[in-house]
Amino acid sequence: MKASETSLRNLLEGTKQFQIPLFQRPYSWDKLKWDTLWEDLMSLYDKEQEPHFLGSIVTQSIPGTAEGISPYVVIDGQQRLTTLAIIIAALRNYLQEKNHTELAEELYEYYLINKFKKDDDFYKILPTQGDREAYKSIIKNQNSREFDNKTIYKAYQYFKERLKKKNFAEGEHKLFKNLLLERLILVNITSDSEENPYLIFESLNTKGQELTQADLVRNYVFMKLPSEQREDIYKQKWQPLEASFKRLAIEEKKEEKYAELLTESFWLYLRKDGESISKKEVYKEIKQRLDKNAENNSFNIKYQLDELINFAEYYQCLVFPKESENKDELKDRFSRLNRLDFTTCRIFLLNIYRDFQDKHLSIQDFLEIVDCLESYFVRRSFVNKSTKILGKIFENLYEDIKKQSNSNNTLFNLKKVLRDYQGEKSWPSDDEFREGLIKKDIYSKNAKTNDRVKLILETIERRMTKEMVNTKNLTIEHIMPQKLTPNWQDMLGDNHEQIHKTWLHTLGNLTLTADNSGLSNKPFSDKVILFKDSNVSLNKYFSDKNVWNKEEIEKRANYLADLAIEIWSR
């Protein structure tokens, strides 16, 4: 590898092209970095002749043709180099608007394009595929709203506005142009064409500060692919996968988290066959598996990639059922698991989804399997079974099922394996479940916990009536209120403090209503009047009640427990 100091002018002049390869992440500098760079430029602008070291660019020369461009792969420093090109493009447009046409053309023809080349060879910098079209529109000064949400386009708008506000005095724009091209010093490190660019890149990113696990996986997979196939496979397979995760992340208002979601999908994929793996080890584990499989003569990297993508799509259906799952019955079941915050079962359900897709499992069996898992989780939650063990349980559950003698009947085997679990792994009995339903405090100040409680009440409500009640606007109501009035203290008797503490947040004292604020801590007799007008079946229970005390709460808890035991059967 050869290292030399260079200016931006020397780096970009000539018929060259700097290509950002697939294994690089998309442009990701944010406003904080743009601010820092702009402040550095303005500080430098005020100090004539003083150079400024901007960092390093690691490139690899690759074979070109006599009549073509001199291509270089950018192994490190692409964010910096791309940002500088964006500033040059913004300055070119600023100069055009100020009628400095000749200087604008010079910037364009010498430092942004290869004037006499065509197609992609036309551009001196060729970003990775995800940014390419937006970058081309910037260089050609084609304002297109379709790129407004692209980070690379936001960078261009940022520097365009900064230049507009700066509004150089006559002649000062030349100083700024020279500052960019002459006084910004880069160290250009160039490797030979025989060296593996990915391995150099990986060694430069060992700290893991720049790349996510998903980025590293993508990079390694594409390094393993034959070079002539990479472009097509990226466009046909990987790009649509990344785009779908970005879309889901945007809908969750967490656009920057899309790579974390993709990483989690790989993490669950690796754990589905019984291996306990840290999320931080996702890339390392996939790399080891690919390297090990490569020793087999029948190894097919495209098959491995297809499998990875298929399971990532199953993950989307489980985590984002409303947006990703086509079958309404499954959409409803997966949404319920999400509301219960029952996420560890996804490890197991990836295998079940694969069996369903391969037509080894009927839709009815799939639905019953999900119901079975829901019962396992709900029962355990009411008897205070630890959730810490669930990860290990669901990593091994699929293999445990396949070990059964009747290995083709997944539903039957699942129920058998869960019923056979003992101790901390056990599926609570009806008696254990009933005791928890009666005595456990289930309401809290945590919104996610209370949505789980609401789902329990909604499910019991559906069992009680054939009418479809819209529960969206219903909230949880405490019948014995959270703050006791003298009227309530009289009804509960001398031991009202202990009764209130013991039974307030239990199932027997909770219902659903659209008039939570209207009920509040009113006397029970007033609440009964309002409950009689309610179309919620849960509230019909109170129509003949004159008193609400410990005995009545326990009595209702037993009534609801009978229904819950039927719903979440084992």
Side-chain angles (χ1 to χ4, degrees), residues 185-248:
I185 303 301
L186 298 156
V187 171
N188 185 21
I189 304 169
T190 307
S191 72
D192 296 331
S193 59
E194 289 80 18
E195 296 183 77
N196 186 319
Y198 174 76
L199 296 180
I200 299 169
F201 179 76
E202 188 184 35
S203 69
L204 291 168
N205 284 274
T206 50
K207 292 181 181 178
Q209 294 172 340
E210 291 296 323
L211 295 178
T212 66
Q213 296 288 305
D215 289 327
L216 291 167
V217 169
R218 176 198 62 219
N219 301 348
Y220 198 71
V221 166
F222 278 89
M223 188 199 81
K224 287 284 188 181
L225 285 166
S227 57
E228 68 275 7
Q229 296 179 15
R230 290 172 188 164
E231 185 83 14
D232 286 344
I233 289 176
Y234 177 82
K235 287 181 179 177
Q236 294 166 12
K237 297 179 182 293
W238 193 272
Q239 193 174 40
L241 179 72
E242 277 195 340
S244 65
F245 271 91
K246 285 180 182 177
R247 186 179 66 253
L248 292 169

Side-chain angles (χ1 to χ4, degrees), residues 2-13:
K2 300 173 185 176
S4 60
E5 281 191 5
T6 186
S7 65
L8 194 56
R9 181 193 298 278
N10 290 336
L11 189 71
L12 295 176
E13 274 187 343

Side-chain angles (χ1 to χ4, degrees), residues 11-27:
L11 189 71
L12 295 176
E13 274 187 343
T15 313
K16 300 173 184 173
Q17 184 178 74
F18 294 91
Q19 302 170 358
I20 317 298
L22 275 170
F23 58 71
Q24 290 274 22
R25 75 189 314 179
Y27 183 78

Side-chain angles (χ1 to χ4, degrees), residues 58-105:
V58 182
T59 61
Q60 179 184 49
S61 61
I62 54 178
T65 59
E67 68 280 1
I69 57 172
S70 298
Y72 295 85
V73 172
V74 182
I75 298 170
D76 194 46
Q78 69 108 340
Q79 304 282 342
R80 187 177 299 113
L81 184 59
T82 304
T83 306
L84 291 172
I86 289 169
I87 295 173
I88 294 174
L91 180 60
R92 181 271 317 264
N93 295 344
Y94 170 84
L95 293 171
Q96 282 180 333
E97 290 172 5
K98 296 293 183 180
N99 294 319
H100 299 299
T101 309
E102 189 175 326
L103 197 55
E105 285 298 312

Side-chain angles (χ1 to χ4, degrees), residues 266-330:
F266 295 158
W267 183 42
L268 299 190
Y269 163 79
L270 292 170
R271 297 167 69 199
K272 69 183 176 60
D273 296 320
E275 290 193 47
S276 294
I277 295 161
S278 163
K279 194 184 286 190
K280 295 178 182 177
E281 300 291 310
V282 164
Y283 160 66
K284 182 180 175 183
E285 181 64 25
I286 288 181
K287 181 176 181 289
Q288 286 176 350
R289 291 191 187 188
L290 289 176
D291 289 345
K292 185 177 180 181
N293 290 340
E295 297 170 6
N296 188 330
N297 291 332
S298 62
F299 172 70
N300 186 329
I301 183 65
K302 285 198 289 184
Y303 170 79
Q304 297 283 326
L305 179 58
D306 283 343
E307 181 173 88
L308 205 57
I309 290 172
N310 285 342
F311 277 94
E313 289 172 350
Y314 303 156
Y315 167 90
Q316 289 181 345
C317 292
L318 295 171
V319 180
F320 303 99
K322 194 181 297 183
E323 297 84 1
S324 305
E325 177 54 58
N326 293 323
K327 296 193 180 307
D328 289 341
E329 308 103 303
L330 288 174

Side-chain angles (χ1 to χ4, degrees), residues 296-435:
N296 188 330
N297 291 332
S298 62
F299 172 70
N300 186 329
I301 183 65
K302 285 198 289 184
Y303 170 79
Q304 297 283 326
L305 179 58
D306 283 343
E307 181 173 88
L308 205 57
I309 290 172
N310 285 342
F311 277 94
E313 289 172 350
Y314 303 156
Y315 167 90
Q316 289 181 345
C317 292
L318 295 171
V319 180
F320 303 99
K322 194 181 297 183
E323 297 84 1
S324 305
E325 177 54 58
N326 293 323
K327 296 193 180 307
D328 289 341
E329 308 103 303
L330 288 174
K331 188 180 294 187
D332 176 64
R333 295 307 201 283
F334 299 155
S335 296
R336 289 177 62 84
L337 295 180
N338 291 342
R339 285 184 68 188
L340 288 167
D341 199 24
F342 185 19
T343 58
T344 45
C345 66
R346 293 169 184 165
I347 304 167
F348 169 73
L349 284 174
L350 286 177
N351 284 313
I352 298 301
Y353 210 115
R354 188 258 321 274
D355 289 348
F356 173 65
Q357 289 294 95
D358 291 346
K359 302 192 185 312
H360 297 150
L361 192 72
S362 69
I363 182 68
Q364 191 55 44
D365 277 1
F366 196 171
L367 295 172
E368 289 191 46
I369 284 169
V370 180
D371 290 343
C372 191
L373 295 177
E374 183 181 313
S375 167
Y376 181 71
F377 181 79
V378 169
R379 283 178 174 243
R380 288 175 60 85
S381 70
F382 272 91
V383 300
N384 293 325
K385 291 285 185 183
S386 172
T387 57
K388 291 180 181 179
I389 199 173
L390 291 177
K392 195 68 181 173
I393 289 172
F394 286 105
E395 284 171 356
N396 294 290
L397 185 55
Y398 191 75
E399 287 300 308
D400 290 344
I401 286 171
K402 291 303 173 186
K403 289 174 186 174
Q404 299 298 307
S405 56
N406 187 8
S407 60
N408 291 328
N409 193 329
T410 305
L411 176 60
F412 176 84
N413 289 336
L414 173 63
K415 289 182 177 180
K416 183 179 185 306
V417 168
L418 292 181
R419 285 171 183 153
D420 288 345
Y421 281 158
Q422 300 295 319
E424 280 303 300
K425 294 168 69 175
S426 69
W427 190 3
S429 66
D430 289 354
D431 288 344
E432 291 174 300
F433 188 30
R434 179 181 293 277
E435 185 176 358

Side-chain angles (χ1 to χ4, degrees), residues 412-476:
F412 176 84
N413 289 336
L414 173 63
K415 289 182 177 180
K416 183 179 185 306
V417 168
L418 292 181
R419 285 171 183 153
D420 288 345
Y421 281 158
Q422 300 295 319
E424 280 303 300
K425 294 168 69 175
S426 69
W427 190 3
S429 66
D430 289 354
D431 288 344
E432 291 174 300
F433 188 30
R434 179 181 293 277
E435 185 176 358
L437 287 162
I438 294 169
K439 295 182 178 180
K440 180 179 170 65
D441 280 355
I442 58 174
Y443 184 90
S444 76
K445 293 180 180 179
N446 182 283
K448 186 172 279 190
T449 299
N450 288 340
D451 191 51
R452 183 189 296 179
V453 175
K454 188 185 175 196
L455 178 62
I456 298 293
L457 290 167
E458 286 173 6
T459 308
I460 295 172
E461 168 70 17
R462 287 199 196 102
R463 177 56 65 97
M464 296 172 74
T465 179
K466 292 180 180 178
E467 293 181 27
M468 288 299 293
V469 176
N470 184 356
T471 58
K472 187 176 180 181
N473 296 320
L474 300 182
T475 57
I476 300 170

